[in-house]
Amino acid sequence: MIYGFASRLGDISFDWESRRCSRLFLEGCGFDDGENPVSVWLSSYFEGHALPLPPIAPPKTPFQGRLRKALLEIPFGETRTYGELARTLHTAPRALGQALGANPLPLLIPCHRVVGANGIGGFSCGIEWKQALLEFERNS
DNA sequence: GTTTCAGATGTTC
DNA sequence: GAACATCTGAAAC
């Protein structure tokens, strides 16, 4: 089931199956029931204080599990570079980018807090979102 | 000092 | 196998 959420930065929608969130899109479609745990989490996030994560689908690969954990340790409003994270996970910077792009849960898993050493890097759902999110977190 | 380039590198599909 | 949301160091200006 696809639900929607209208945030101050744009429309968001997400896939809610079997009482957990399996995918999240940074574009609008679906309706907002306002009671879904993901909607609740999103509204708390956009008020500047994120709650504990709602249930989400398990990682597709073991590496994504490690990546997820590392990303969740980046505090709200801070960023890491691809190189730094690659060193903590004992992997190559480029491999990180590949795995981040394959992440089906942007925002919930804060993949937007990873930037390039020279430049902002990339973002699967549109670079405008990444910039807007980082600016929003900085000013919160 | 700054800019440019090639090579290394691990995960994903 | 090929593609990739990168980094680093060395060489040239």
Side-chain angles (χ1 to χ4, degrees):
Chain A
M1 178 70 194
I2 303 280
Y3 290 96
F5 180 87
S7 84
R8 51 183 289 185
L9 295 182
D11 289 337
I12 298 173
S13 52
F14 54 90
D15 203 346
W16 181 257
E17 297 282 353
S18 319
R19 299 182 57 77
R20 70 192 187 193
C21 186
S22 56
R23 301 220 273 161
L24 189 141
F25 314 91
L26 266 27
E27 56 193 352
C29 60
F31 71 98
D32 186 0
D33 77 349
E35 311 229 334
N36 188 289
V38 182
S39 296
V40 174
W41 186 89
L42 285 172
S43 38
S44 81
Y45 172 83
F46 283 105
E47 283 166 16
H49 55 91
L51 296 167
L53 279 185
I56 55 182
K60 283 207 276 283
T61 67
F63 179 76
Q64 291 214 342
R66 289 199 292 141
L67 175 61
R68 206 176 265 193
K69 191 174 161 204
L71 288 175
L72 291 172
E73 280 172 7
I74 308 178
F76 189 100
E78 286 192 32
T79 62
R80 297 287 179 279
T81 65
Y82 293 95
E84 276 178 293
L85 272 183
R87 274 193 298 274
T88 18
L89 293 176
H90 305 101
T91 184
R94 194 142 186 203
L96 222 86
Q98 183 67 19
L100 284 174
N103 172 22
L105 294 162
L107 251 175
L108 257 38
I109 313 288
C111 52
H112 57 278
R113 296 192 190 134
V114 187
V115 298
N118 292 304
I120 188 165
F123 198 60
S124 48
C125 299
I127 196 66
E128 307 83 20
W129 267 100
K130 185 171 184 175
Q131 288 172 327
L133 288 167
L134 289 177
E135 190 173 340
F136 160 71
E137 292 193 3
R138 252 203 316 276
N139 300 334
S140 290

